[in-house]
Amino acid sequence: MSILLTVLRDPDALPRLTRQDWNLLLRESRSQQLCARLSWIIETRGQVSACPEAAWIDLAAQRFFAEHKQAQVRLELRKLRKALAPKGVPILLLKGAAYAHAGLRVARGRDFADLDIMVPTDQLEAAETALEAGGWLMETKDRYDQRYYRRWMHELPPMHHRTRSFEVDIHHALLPLTGRLRPNPALLWAASRVLPDSPCRVLCDEDMLLHSAAQVFQDGEIAGELGALLDLHQLMEELGQREGFWQRLVPRAEALQLGRPLYYALRFCTKLLDTPVPAEVLRAAQAQAPGRVSKGLMDRLVPRVLEPRYPTRRPAHVAAWFLYMRSHWLRMPPGLLALHLLRKALRTGKAG
Amino acid sequence: MRQSSSRRGWLRRRSARAGGIYRLGPFAARVETPLRGLRNLITWCYGEPLPPSAQPIVQFVVRIDHGPLYRRLIAPQAVFHADTQTPFAPFPRDHAFPLLEWGLNWCIATRAHQYLMLHAGVLERDGHALILPALPGSGKSTLTAALALSGWRLFSDEFGLLDWRTGSLQPLPRPIPLKNRSIDIIRERVPVQDDLGPTFPKTRKGDVAHLRPPPESRRRQYEMARPAWIIFPRYRAGHPLRITPLNQSLAFTRLSQNAFNYHLLGATGFDALKGLIEGCHCWSAEYGDLASILSALEQLPEP
């Protein structure tokens, strides 16, 4: 097993590492871009003294990226709020921004690619108009891209403010409208909660985990997403401590049609990261397991693309390709998918 | 006998391909390359790699490779990799060494945030450090090289590594890339001609030749120093020497715009820079010839 996984499973293994192990751990963490998060996990576990000084300094120095991004997110949110509040559009934070605002441990050292927020479906148009008036621009002008997002996806085309480069994704649902699973946004809004010192809302604990699971195992390509699996692991560790979380989780997943992604999240978190999950939850989630063939395939493919392979093994290109095709398969019905992939292939040819 | 020596040669070549670990001030870098000419230049500049028994923590793992197979035949290339990243377009094979130096700079600038990284030449005398921030046209590299050859200890030509926890400067002795006309100016001052490496013509920055760091500066690469003087040099052909005190707020603005990671460090960077400026004498210096500014720098006031 890779040394990074060993340490993430059990940070108390750190004092047993040799110098060679340490250098390998640094390389694996760098290639997975998990240095800052690893440094927080080490600190939370009280294992800083087990690290060679140079290694600790190097890991902890990477925290500045996350802190810088979180400051940018806070600024962007203030501006979004200013643009949307007069129109009466509420903001629900998703993913990284939600973890950071809810003060969850998973946010420590976590990098943000963009800012994800959700608005109610019936206020989507009002939100878009308000943002355009406020100076946000769509990143794509291409007509096919626009149609792709608007008719089939769960979010508007990515936007950014004309004076800043930070990308904002406006969601109105959790998963693509053309996909096999469509959790009802009304249920998410009804269960969401307000944050004590912020005007924004976040999903309730169970939904937060379920959204994260759906992102990876329903809508994602999985390959190279060890950081996303770590999100799930850390969310389960922290939210699992809260009263009634585990009892509510599986029934809630069924209500939102997210039983299958939850099954995968539990399966691969426990398998790869040794996440503590009550036995009865694992048993209940078994009802959502796929058929024997899918299960066998996923069990073989997913660990191959999630485990850090650099620098000791070759990348798992074939497994990654299968999972990439799978993610598209789950996104769209076959006819539409064929047309979409044809379109993408033609465009790549033209650009080349 | 003959057989065993050739076998030893083969072993040495293989271990060089697997990469040697080199000490760069506070960092250790593993450098792997199949390019033999480049390996010779690395040895010329950084000496022999650390023995395996040293077992340092390695911050940077870099590789300079051939380009694709067909490019080995036509217009050969050198490609820089840092772990899984390939940040630059390939260079011509002949420019592999400048590419390695540039790549290592990139590694440091994107990762070493335990320091506020000023883009500056830094030298030390009697335990006090002089900072020469690099503004376009400052002639910083020439000036740094000339000072390193006249009794100052070279910290770095590129990175002023300010440890923001202690406020001290950290040496990072690396070769100084001299460009175009500076090559000849410094050649006249180098006592050992071998200290100046080969000239690489027509790189992105014109002709480049490297002055390797003096042995003294490499030997003492762990000895930190307190910053004492900040001088913004500006070369203007034919102008007489003019040194004017610089007020602190202006020095602050200029240095913050000039640092690699000032914005990333946020409040930490602000506090570090404020501490630095308050503890230093700040001047700007206009000069038309090297000799005049060198003698002026001999007479800096006590910190």
Side-chain angles (χ1 to χ4, degrees):
Chain A
M1 179 183 294
S2 101
I3 194 104
L4 176 58
L5 274 192
T6 311
V7 169
L8 291 177
R9 283 169 79 102
D10 179 19
D12 294 334
L14 282 167
R16 295 196 294 275
L17 300 194
T18 63
R19 274 299 164 120
Q20 252 176 345
D21 293 338
W22 266 103
N23 279 331
L24 194 55
L25 176 65
L26 290 178
R27 287 181 82 170
E28 288 181 4
S29 319
R30 280 199 293 265
S31 70
Q32 299 283 336
Q33 306 192 325
L34 289 176
C35 291
R37 293 182 74 176
L38 179 62
S39 82
W40 278 111
I41 290 171
I42 292 173
E43 186 169 327
T44 314
R45 237 353 143 85
Q47 287 289 7
V48 176
S49 56
C51 307
E53 197 193 355
W56 171 252
I57 288 174
D58 186 60
L59 289 175
Q62 310 315 315
R63 292 176 178 179
F64 285 103
F65 290 103
E67 281 163 26
H68 187 62
K69 279 281 176 62
Q70 296 199 2
Q72 282 182 317
V73 165
R74 282 194 295 274
L75 170 75
E76 197 68 39
L77 259 182
R78 272 205 307 278
K79 304 276 186 185
L80 282 171
R81 172 91 198 128
K82 238 178 173 171
L84 294 179
K87 308 282 175 209
V89 181
I91 295 178
L92 193 150
L93 302 178
L94 298 173
K95 293 168 61 184
Y99 308 153
H101 274 71
L104 294 174
R105 279 202 297 271
V106 62
R108 291 182 184 169
R110 193 181 179 281
D111 203 356
F112 295 79
D114 46 29
L115 169 60
D116 296 282
I117 64 168
M118 189 154 127
V119 299
T121 315
D122 54 0
Q123 281 172 287
L124 187 61
E125 230 171 290
E128 192 182 339
T129 320
L131 291 183
E132 266 169 11
W136 276 269
L137 310 164
M138 299 264 174
E139 284 177 9
T140 172
K141 291 236 159 55
D142 185 90
R143 269 179 56 204
Y144 178 74
D145 285 349
Q146 286 279 348
R147 200 171 50 146
Y148 170 83
Y149 278 103
R150 283 167 198 279
R151 278 184 53 187
W152 300 326
M153 286 296 111
H154 50 304
E155 58 192 344
L156 291 175
M159 303 176 100
H160 67 96
H161 194 267
R162 58 184 151 77
T163 58
R164 296 181 295 275
S165 59
F166 208 84
E167 184 184 314
V168 184
D169 289 341
I170 314 285
H171 298 246
H172 51 87
L174 288 192
L175 290 170
L177 305 178
T178 50
R180 306 275 195 282
L181 307 180
R182 264 167 284 166
N184 182 356
L187 291 178
L188 302 169
W189 279 98
S192 69
R193 60 188 177 94
V194 256
L195 286 170
D197 44 2
S198 156
C200 302
R201 304 180 77 86
V202 294
L203 294 171
C204 71
D205 292 350
E206 300 81 52
D207 293 2
M208 210 183 259
L209 179 72
L210 290 168
H211 178 216
S212 186
Q215 280 269 313
V216 186
F217 291 106
Q218 187 69 25
D219 200 28
E221 295 162 17
I222 307 179
E225 299 264 21
L226 184 59
L229 193 75
L230 188 58
D231 282 355
L232 288 165
H233 170 77
Q234 287 185 297
L235 282 172
M236 286 189 219
E237 271 189 336
E238 187 168 4
L239 301 179
Q241 306 277 324
R242 297 187 181 170
E243 189 63 38
F245 174 82
W246 290 114
Q247 288 80 350
R248 291 189 300 266
L249 185 60
V250 178
R252 181 65 177 172
E254 282 161 12
L256 288 171
Q257 302 184 355
L258 293 176
R260 182 66 58 81
L262 174 65
Y263 164 81
Y264 284 131
L266 293 170
R267 177 153 188 87
F268 293 112
C269 274
T270 49
K271 200 169 165 177
L272 293 170
L273 294 172
D274 208 13
T275 313
V277 180
E280 63 271 17
V281 175
L282 290 177
R283 254 196 315 279
Q286 276 297 332
Q288 307 289 336
R292 255 182 54 207
V293 177
S294 299
K295 185 165 176 296
L297 268 175
M298 287 293 274
D299 277 353
R300 289 180 70 88
L301 296 177
V302 173
R304 286 178 71 83
V305 299
L306 281 180
E307 242 198 89
R309 297 174 75 87
Y310 176 85
T312 44
R313 285 184 289 168
R314 291 171 169 281
H317 289 308
V318 178
W321 184 81
F322 273 111
L323 289 169
Y324 173 76
M325 293 312 285
R326 171 189 177 269
S327 76
H328 273 76
W329 178 252
L330 295 177
R331 257 185 175 205
M332 298 178 178
L336 190 57
L337 175 61
L339 281 175
H340 175 62
L341 288 182
L342 181 67
R343 193 113 196 186
K344 271 176 83 168
L346 285 177
R347 187 191 309 184
T348 322
K350 214 161 57 182
Chain B
M1 185 69 202
R2 208 176 135 244
Q3 205 177 9
S4 91
S5 83
S6 92
R7 178 163 170 73
R8 232 178 293 138
W10 177 79
L11 273 175
R12 203 165 43 232
R13 275 199 298 282
R14 202 183 60 156
S15 73
R17 191 165 305 198
I21 299 175
Y22 299 86
R23 184 44 69 193
L24 314 173
F27 314 114
R30 171 184 282 281
V31 184
E32 303 167 357
T33 181
L35 309 180
R36 191 175 309 160
L38 176 60
R39 289 210 297 268
N40 293 339
L41 276 173
I42 293 171
T43 312
W44 164 77
C45 178
Y46 292 104
E48 291 296 322
L50 296 176
S53 57
Q55 295 206 326
I57 289 293
V58 177
Q59 283 89 352
F60 315 120
V61 178
V62 306
R63 205 171 72 247
I64 304 249
D65 260 339
H66 303 286
L69 187 62
Y70 76 95
R71 290 305 295 259
R72 294 198 197 184
L73 304 171
I74 328 160
Q77 290 181 327
V79 189
F80 175 84
H81 307 276
D83 273 317
T84 43
Q85 289 175 287
T86 307
F88 315 124
F91 269 37
R93 170 80 51 81
D94 297 340
H95 294 170
F97 187 70
L99 174 64
L100 171 67
E101 284 299 302
W102 196 22
L104 287 171
N105 286 347
W106 177 85
C107 286
I108 295 166
T110 52
R111 224 182 141 73
H113 305 298
Q114 64 268 40
Y115 301 104
L116 173 65
M117 290 181 269
L118 306 172
H119 187 197
V122 179
L123 301 115
E124 176 262 3
R125 205 180 54 186
D126 305 329
H128 306 298
L130 161 68
I131 300 175
L132 302 167
L135 301 173
S138 61
K140 165 213 50 151
S141 291
T142 322
L143 191 52
T144 306
L147 286 167
L149 293 171
S150 55
W152 290 75
R153 173 159 71 107
L154 173 69
F155 265 42
S156 171
D157 162 61
E158 187 76 9
F159 289 98
L161 299 181
L162 182 75
D163 185 333
W164 44 257
R165 286 158 305 179
T166 61
S168 289
L169 284 161
Q170 163 71 49
L172 178 64
R174 305 254 316 277
I176 304 177
L178 300 163
K179 285 137 221 155
N180 305 320
R181 291 210 346 261
S182 335
I183 301 173
D184 290 325
I185 297 175
I186 295 303
R187 195 182 298 283
E188 289 168 16
R189 297 170 169 269
V190 179
V192 186
Q193 280 306 312
D194 192 38
D195 285 345
L196 200 61
T199 302
F200 303 95
K202 295 189 192 152
T203 72
R204 281 169 208 205
K205 299 194 165 173
D207 296 354
V208 171
H210 297 81
L211 176 72
R212 68 177 167 189
E216 156 96 349
S217 131
R218 282 188 57 76
R219 196 161 44 75
R220 296 172 60 194
Q221 61 184 319
Y222 306 107
E223 279 178 46
M224 312 206 24
R226 302 297 300 179
W229 310 283
I230 303 171
I231 297 180
F232 291 84
R234 186 161 171 215
Y235 174 75
R236 301 185 82 182
H239 277 240
L241 179 70
R242 209 179 69 195
I243 296 184
T244 40
L246 197 64
N247 73 44
Q248 291 189 340
S249 58
L250 195 55
F252 187 102
T253 315
R254 284 203 200 164
L255 268 182
S256 69
Q257 288 165 351
N258 197 233
F260 290 100
N261 60 346
Y262 174 75
H263 288 287
L264 189 69
L265 294 189
T268 305
F270 177 87
D271 292 338
L273 199 52
K274 184 163 163 283
L276 172 70
I277 302 260
E278 284 172 355
C280 283
H281 298 282
C282 304
W283 293 284
S284 58
E286 245 179 47
Y287 65 102
D289 75 301
L290 208 48
S292 63
I293 188 162
L294 286 178
S295 65
L297 291 180
E298 288 304 312
Q299 297 147 29
L300 287 172
E302 281 301 303

